[in-house]
Amino acid sequence: MNSTQSSPVAFFIIQGLASLGEKKMVLFIIFLLAYTIILGGNIMIIYLVRTDPKLGSPMYFFLHNLSIVDMIYTTVTIPNMLSGFLTEVKTVSVPGCFIQMNCFIHMSVTGRALLTAMAYDRYVAICNPLRYAAVMTRPVCLLLIIGAWTFGAICTFPTTSMAMQRSYCGPNVVRHCWCDPSSVRLLVCGDTQVDSIVSLSSALIALLTTGVLILTSYILIGVKIAKMGAAQRLKAFSTCAAHLTVVSISYSSASFVYISYRVGNFSPEVRIIVSVLYSAVTPFLNPVIYSLRNKELRAAIKRAFCRHRDVSPQGHKTLNTLS
């Protein structure tokens, strides 16, 4: 195989949603607001977990890491898409395209692996509450985090490494808002059947492995909850409601994206819009869901606000008046 350095294509043109015309500005405003909320919400979670000692449990440690992944995941795609709305021609270098592709796939898989670790945490908390502190130690949590990132790298490597070794001789127009593997693969000179099989296999391994483990955890949790009393059942359900909601949204939206790419009735523009919404919806909803469904996180937000108010100039003035 030829390397990308010997390829006559020096850059790719990101077509994006050029066919929408003036509607692009409406989408620009919508996704700019969404990206701002994503960054603000996830930064808030990272700040709270790092500064509030009451959020020292493994669940918040995993949530902290999930917020980091969501921020990287959206930063890889949305700013590039926003700049594409403002320019006539959006280009990206060949190495930059593959870096974007690698980060996008890696963060997508790592996020699901972290959701799997969080499902295991909920399983231990509900099914073995007396052994929870002994099982979910700091070294175990770190091992699960490292495992999530490693799993993401392993699932990403085959697709991106094969893409980097291919030759691209034109046309160089990527029919997407970023360097999506399927869209870039259409520009390869030669047969890409093996590439498609490898890419699909890696995606299925990532989705099915994490999906089966999460499903198994919640089946065991469901069996345990069924044996509890009404009060215990409600308390147990509340501890995993936010995570279960996030998992449901993540996997249902991923399934819809998969279906949109396999059904011929969808136009290319619709497929792109579905992919863009999928890349933004889960990172957007994660902080919202956890903030609304988690009492400890809501209490931490109030404590942080009170601390900020107390150290502000107005707060000092109030304290001096009281003294």
Side-chain angles (χ1 to χ4, degrees):
M1 293 183 184
N2 297 328
S3 64
T4 53
Q5 285 76 7
S6 63
S7 171
V9 170
F11 62 90
F12 293 110
I13 298 174
I14 307 298
Q15 185 183 55
L17 296 168
S19 62
L20 294 181
E22 296 180 356
K23 295 178 182 179
K24 289 193 296 182
M25 290 309 300
V26 177
L27 289 176
F28 174 83
I29 295 172
I30 292 173
F31 283 103
L32 178 61
L33 290 174
Y35 183 57
T36 304
I37 294 172
I38 288 169
L39 290 183
N42 285 292
I43 288 173
M44 176 194 69
I45 289 176
I46 293 170
Y47 171 76
L48 291 175
V49 174
R50 289 192 173 188
T51 59
D52 196 318
K54 293 186 177 181
L55 300 181
S57 67
M59 181 180 69
Y60 295 110
F61 180 62
F62 293 133
L63 182 60
H64 166 276
N65 280 272
L66 182 63
S67 293
I68 294 174
V69 168
D70 283 345
M71 289 175 63
I72 298 173
Y73 179 70
T74 51
T75 300
V76 167
T77 56
I78 294 182
N80 284 276
M81 181 182 64
L82 292 175
S83 64
F85 288 147
L86 300 178
T87 57
E88 291 296 327
V89 180
K90 172 65 179 177
T91 62
V92 61
S93 66
V94 173
C97 182
F98 292 127
I99 290 172
Q100 186 184 62
M101 183 190 299
N102 181 83
C103 290
F104 177 76
I105 302 173
H106 192 177
M107 293 304 104
S108 178
V109 178
T110 302
R112 282 179 173 73
L114 287 173
L115 289 175
T116 306
M118 295 171 76
Y120 175 70
D121 173 73
R122 296 298 83 200
Y123 159 74
V124 177
I126 294 173
C127 297
N128 294 288
L130 298 179
R131 299 190 65 245
Y132 180 78
V135 174
M136 299 302 296
T137 60
R138 194 69 172 184
V140 170
C141 293
L142 287 172
L143 188 62
L144 289 171
I145 294 294
I146 294 171
W149 284 83
T150 303
F151 180 71
I154 292 172
C155 291
T156 304
F157 179 76
T159 300
T160 54
S161 62
M162 292 187 73
M164 291 175 65
Q165 295 177 56
R166 289 298 189 182
S167 178
Y168 301 85
C169 53
N172 63 339
V173 179
V174 178
R175 299 181 183 277
H176 210 285
C177 288
W178 57 79
C179 288
D180 174 69
S182 300
S183 302
V184 174
R185 194 178 303 123
L186 295 175
L187 310 180
V188 171
C189 306
D191 183 28
T192 59
Q193 185 175 358
V194 175
D195 303 58
S196 299
I197 293 173
V198 170
S199 179
L200 180 60
S201 300
S202 298
L204 288 176
I205 290 171
L207 287 172
L208 292 178
T209 301
T210 55
V212 167
L213 290 174
I214 292 173
L215 182 61
T216 301
S217 297
Y218 274 103
I219 289 174
L220 295 174
I221 288 172
V223 172
K224 182 69 175 181
I225 290 177
K227 300 177 181 178
M228 296 178 178
Q232 287 181 311
R233 190 178 301 167
L234 182 62
K235 182 179 179 181
F237 179 76
S238 65
T239 62
C240 56
H243 177 262
L244 185 58
T245 303
V246 169
V247 168
S248 301
I249 293 173
S250 177
Y251 280 87
S252 59
S253 57
S255 300
F256 190 73
V257 172
Y258 178 83
I259 292 171
S260 71
Y261 270 81
R262 299 299 183 276
V263 176
N265 294 334
F266 287 99
S267 66
E269 289 77 13
V270 171
R271 291 192 182 100
I272 293 174
I273 291 173
V274 168
S275 297
V276 168
L277 291 174
Y278 162 68
S279 67
V281 65
T282 305
F284 177 83
L285 291 176
N286 277 357
V288 175
I289 292 170
Y290 276 101
S291 299
L292 293 176
R293 301 299 298 269
N294 191 286
K295 292 182 180 179
E296 291 182 352
L297 200 56
R298 291 202 303 271
I301 294 173
K302 293 179 181 177
R303 288 194 295 269
F305 177 77
C306 291
R307 288 198 305 269
H308 175 73
R309 185 180 59 186
D310 291 341
V311 300
S312 66
Q314 184 64 35
H316 283 303
K317 183 178 179 181
T318 303
L319 291 174
N320 291 334
T321 302
L322 292 175
S323 62

